[in-house]
Amino acid sequence: MSTALVKITRTETYRTVSDALWQNNPISKQVLGICSSLAVTVQMNTAIVMALALTAVVACSNLIISLMRKMIPRNIRIIVEVAVIATLVIIADEVLKAFMYNISKQLSVFVGLIITNCIVMGRAETFAMSNPPLKSFVDGMANGIGYGSILVGVSFFRELLGSGKILGFPVVPQALYDMGYMDMGLMLLAPGAFIVIGLFVWLEHAILNR
Amino acid sequence: MSDGVKTILFATGLCLVCSLLLTMAATGLKAFQRENALVDRQKNILQAVGAVESGRSYPADAIKALYQSSIQCISIDDEGQVLSAKAAPKKVLPLYLYRADGQVKAYIIPVDSRGLWGRIYGYLALDTDGSTITGFSVYQHSETPGLGGEIENQWFQRNFVGKQIIDAEGNFVSIKIAKGAVEDAVRQDLKPNYVDGISGATMTGKFLSQGLEDILQTYEPVSVHFRNQGMLKLPENALVCQPPS
Amino acid sequence: MENLISIFVDSVFVGNILLAYFLGMCSFLAVSKNLQTSLGLGIAVVFVLTITTPVNWLIYRYLLAPGALAWAGLPDVDLSFLKLILFIAIIAGIVQMVEMVIDRYSQALYNALGVFLPLITVNCAVLGVSLFMVERSYTFAETVVYGVGSGIGWLLAIVSMATIKIKLRYADVPEGLQGFGINMITTGLMAMAFMLFSGITL
């Protein structure tokens, strides 16, 4: 059993995943990447759909760019990366509009803004250009889940504290409201997101430095 | 082959592949997207008259069938006259009629109002007495979820049911959104003209009140007609309205 | 006119592209360390937004929107799905052109703004403003005002942040919160202050 575990932890794939998810996943870095998506963290369901769209785009763009990495002329590689990412983002947007109409109405322009997400571009440039397809795909997937988890984490607190709901279902018992508890409107506004992230970073530091 | 030629060939190839993929995705999915938008509008119109409940999901076919059988969309001019298909359209306004049991029960006005963050689109349904609101629905807005975004929720929209757009003397006063609960915030004699506001979304309420007033003012000739003479006279071949894009 | 003024005030304060929509955070956090550079980058953003937003409006209106190609005899064509890719290409192209023009005609301006221009292509605020102007179906005049207003709003935010950071050096911040954490919370407080302008009526 333990030897099997050691074998798994020694594989390349495992290391790629754990790097992206844990070792190399400081919130401060990820937030730079998801900044454009913070506006959809008011509710959990939009945040989850956004995280999925983001993961799909990073994973696919990594895969495609890695497959082409030996053919791409060096001098136009950035523009090639942008073209691939933009194409994938538009496809994701169109698919959402066709099959998840209600959510896509709420996400509005923010799906399109994945294009300018520094980290999608960053993974393509630094990882996919120099690694084989499968590994790049896994790396993209893990990175997508990495930022997705922060997005969903922020939305969890904003929705819970801001509207007393999780995924749209009320979780704060009526008895509490009767006793005078009130939802925190601040959480639903933009400042709420900034403050939640600031506190997240504090928590992360506290855990890592212990 | 020189590097320059190779680069250009690669770029051209990439552009071709990308454009092909995009066109395929866009045209292939267009039918679904149109259908979604159409069903969403129809559902909202039905929701405004209370024929379907908000917040529940219905199969698309059921919505379409119900819409077909109970809603008629006609065109009127700005004096409240129903246009026939032959009439030269000047300024055309769409108006929806809701029928149940063979009778017109309500008329529905499309709402297009300013909000705090963007435009608010929806429908307002009025009873055939020309003054009582029978429902309100919103299909598109960009207000903050949980604050101004509550306008799309049932509790807010239900407040409109039974409210009046005229005062006790019969003058047009529109419907307004109160700052807070109507019970505390509004004078006794004005209560029929106000609905409960959303806490934390005073601005959304203000803009929406203004938008509703403007749109009701535009359709006032129709409402006056309903108030004084009852149902509009429909010409033989009424001009079918152009659904807003 | 009233409408234009209210769009302007809204885009500078209440609907501030950075503080209300979180766009352009990357460069905001990276550059706001120094007052001089943030001022430079802010002005460059205003400059680029003032040019790209109206250009993108024209492109969208006459090439991409459903029915926009009617002048070319193709009233049924709807190319709006291409707006993302075209907007980003236009922004990159214009930034490059502006850089070359400034370099050629005004060395002083180039020295002040030049280094920031390439950074702006990846600033999501610039793309975001173009997408919002389509989403809200602004007219041409409204688009121009919205573009300028958003730029000024961004400038205001980054310059205020830079000045706050200077004061923060003397503050006793809890250890785990130093650096990124306190920056986020400060931004949050700033966002709150900007929201107070939502009471303004015109």
Side-chain angles (χ1 to χ4, degrees):
Chain A
M1 179 63 206
S2 65
T3 48
L5 203 69
V6 169
K7 253 185 205 159
I8 290 173
T9 53
R10 276 202 190 142
T11 58
E12 282 278 299
T13 320
Y14 171 82
R15 230 177 301 147
T16 320
V17 172
S18 81
D19 265 5
L21 274 186
W22 182 243
Q23 320 291 63
N24 229 338
N25 189 23
I27 297 174
S28 46
K29 195 185 101 196
Q30 300 293 23
V31 165
L32 290 183
I34 58 165
C35 66
S36 53
S37 333
L38 276 179
V40 301
T41 54
V42 177
Q43 288 168 315
M44 270 186 93
N45 52 2
T46 47
I48 290 172
V49 173
M50 188 69 183
L52 290 178
L54 203 75
T55 310
V57 170
V58 199
C60 294
S61 79
N62 261 10
L63 177 68
I64 294 171
I65 291 188
S66 170
L67 282 171
M68 299 196 302
R69 72 185 187 284
K70 299 219 173 83
M71 300 189 301
I72 300 177
R74 291 304 290 178
N75 48 351
I76 58 162
R77 67 175 197 288
I78 300 277
I79 204 104
V80 170
E81 285 159 13
V82 172
V84 169
I85 294 167
T87 309
L88 288 169
V89 169
I90 296 176
I91 292 176
D93 193 23
E94 296 284 322
V95 168
L96 283 181
K97 267 192 215 146
F99 298 111
M100 302 181 86
Y101 185 73
N102 277 326
I103 298 241
S104 90
K105 268 203 311 196
Q106 290 170 17
L107 291 177
S108 76
V109 305
F110 293 99
V111 178
L113 286 168
I114 297 179
I115 293 181
T116 51
N117 184 325
C118 340
I119 293 199
V120 182
M121 203 51 199
R123 285 335 281 178
E125 172 71 11
T126 56
F127 199 91
M129 282 302 280
S130 51
N131 281 291
L134 184 66
K135 222 175 133 194
S136 302
F137 183 77
V138 172
D139 173 79
M141 199 79 138
N143 268 288
I145 296 170
Y147 355 115
S149 58
I150 295 172
L151 214 58
V152 174
V154 172
S155 69
F156 173 78
F157 284 104
R158 285 182 80 185
E159 193 177 351
L160 177 66
L161 297 177
S163 22
K165 295 175 184 168
I166 287 175
L167 284 167
F169 297 106
V171 287
V172 174
Q174 189 58 41
L176 215 56
Y177 285 114
D178 294 341
M179 281 161 63
Y181 171 81
M182 271 167 79
D183 288 330
M184 197 167 156
L186 172 70
M187 279 296 147
L188 299 173
L189 297 167
F194 288 115
I195 290 169
V196 167
I197 288 178
L199 296 177
F200 262 31
V201 175
W202 196 358
L203 187 73
E204 187 193 42
H205 275 259
I207 293 173
L208 287 184
N209 290 348
R210 195 156 45 91
Chain B
M1 205 168 15
S2 76
D3 268 4
V5 177
K6 225 177 102 187
T7 307
I8 291 174
L9 275 181
F10 185 84
T12 323
L14 185 80
C15 287
L16 276 179
V17 172
C18 285
S19 47
L20 206 69
L21 273 175
L22 285 183
T23 319
M24 260 161 52
T27 46
L29 296 173
K30 176 145 271 172
F32 290 100
Q33 296 171 355
R34 285 236 173 100
E35 176 85 3
N36 279 334
L38 185 75
V39 170
D40 193 51
R41 298 283 167 81
Q42 295 187 343
K43 185 178 164 206
N44 265 276
I45 293 173
L46 291 168
Q47 207 179 299
V49 289
V52 301
E53 259 177 70
S54 85
R56 257 185 65 189
S57 64
Y58 292 84
D61 294 338
I63 297 279
K64 272 160 57 185
L66 190 56
Y67 183 89
Q68 277 300 333
S69 64
S70 61
I71 302 285
Q72 182 190 8
C73 186
I74 56 172
S75 300
I76 55 165
D77 63 11
D78 47 8
E79 282 147 16
Q81 296 298 315
V82 182
L83 295 169
S84 75
K86 274 172 284 173
K90 295 167 278 185
K91 191 170 184 278
V92 182
L93 300 167
L95 181 76
Y96 300 87
L97 297 174
Y98 172 60
R99 282 172 216 274
D101 314 323
Q103 279 206 326
V104 174
K105 290 275 188 232
Y107 60 103
I108 305 151
I109 303 172
V111 175
D112 169 1
S113 158
R114 204 186 142 189
L116 178 58
W117 300 107
R119 302 215 64 92
I120 298 170
Y121 297 97
Y123 296 99
L124 187 70
L126 287 123
D127 192 89
T128 43
D129 66 6
S131 66
T132 311
I133 294 175
T134 59
F136 173 64
S137 69
V138 170
Y139 64 87
Q140 199 184 333
H141 70 87
S142 22
E143 307 306 295
T144 320
L147 297 173
E150 292 289 305
I151 54 170
E152 67 177 11
N153 282 347
Q154 219 178 353
W155 73 263
F156 177 72
Q157 297 180 356
R158 266 202 195 137
N159 287 333
F160 281 82
V161 179
K163 296 287 175 176
Q164 296 288 323
I165 61 166
I166 53 171
D167 63 12
E169 278 91 53
N171 301 315
F172 172 72
V173 290
S174 180
I175 177 84
K176 294 199 167 54
I177 292 146
K179 188 172 168 13
V182 171
E183 206 46 54
D184 321 318
V186 180
R187 256 186 17 231
Q188 187 60 38
D189 56 328
L190 294 179
K191 277 183 183 160
N193 306 119
Y194 277 85
V195 296
D196 288 347
I198 302 163
S199 64
T202 315
M203 295 304 288
T204 304
K206 242 172 96 175
F207 286 125
L208 186 58
S209 296
Q210 186 59 47
L212 288 174
E213 182 171 348
D214 292 345
I215 206 87
L216 281 169
Q217 190 73 58
T218 314
Y219 281 87
E220 181 61 7
V222 178
S223 304
V224 168
H225 194 287
F226 271 105
R227 256 174 255 155
N228 300 335
Q229 297 151 39
M231 178 56 197
L232 299 166
K233 236 191 236 101
L234 293 181
E236 277 296 297
N237 48 346
L239 178 62
V240 178
C241 69
Q242 292 296 319
S245 55
Chain C
M1 195 60 213
E2 232 173 61
N3 184 24
L4 293 185
I5 296 175
S6 81
I7 287 182
F8 182 77
V9 172
D10 190 73
S11 57
V12 175
F13 296 110
V14 189
N16 188 296
I17 194 82
L18 185 115
L19 296 171
Y21 292 104
F22 313 97
L23 299 181
M25 289 275 293
C26 311
S27 23
F28 171 78
L29 289 170
V31 176
S32 61
K33 283 191 196 82
N34 180 313
L35 183 56
Q36 213 55 44
T37 22
S38 15
L39 195 62
L41 182 66
I43 293 172
V45 167
V46 177
F47 196 68
V48 168
L49 271 176
T50 311
I51 301 174
T52 55
T53 322
V55 171
N56 278 341
W57 188 88
L58 291 174
I59 299 267
Y60 186 75
R61 176 69 183 72
Y62 292 105
L63 286 179
L64 301 179
L69 283 171
W71 55 268
L74 299 164
D76 292 333
V77 177
D78 172 8
L79 292 178
S80 54
F81 65 96
L82 285 178
K83 66 171 187 276
L84 269 177
I85 203 161
L86 211 60
F87 282 0
I88 196 135
I90 300 258
I91 290 169
I94 287 184
V95 169
Q96 199 76 58
M97 248 160 56
V98 167
E99 198 181 345
M100 288 191 283
V101 171
I102 297 183
D103 189 21
R104 173 76 180 70
Y105 291 105
S106 164
Q107 205 54 48
L109 195 61
Y110 183 77
N111 289 341
L113 296 185
V115 283
F116 303 115
L117 287 172
L119 260 180
I120 290 175
T121 314
V122 291
N123 189 330
C124 26
V126 179
L127 181 65
V129 167
S130 285
L131 291 177
F132 275 126
M133 123 286 231
V134 171
E135 179 82 7
R136 298 179 190 169
S137 38
Y138 282 151
T139 62
F140 186 72
E142 287 170 343
T143 302
V144 175
V145 171
Y146 179 61
V148 178
S150 302
I152 294 179
W154 201 86
L155 168 78
L156 206 61
I158 194 171
V159 169
S160 335
M161 188 66 192
T163 36
I164 293 175
K165 271 190 181 171
I166 294 173
K167 297 280 172 209
L168 261 183
R169 280 186 216 144
Y170 307 105
D172 186 16
V173 179
E175 202 198 320
L177 214 50
Q178 276 168 16
F180 188 79
I182 195 71
N183 285 347
M184 285 313 267
I185 290 179
T186 313
T187 316
L189 295 175
M190 253 167 70
M192 249 187 260
F194 272 59
M195 296 211 83
L196 294 183
F197 288 95
S198 60
I200 290 182
T201 47
L202 290 165

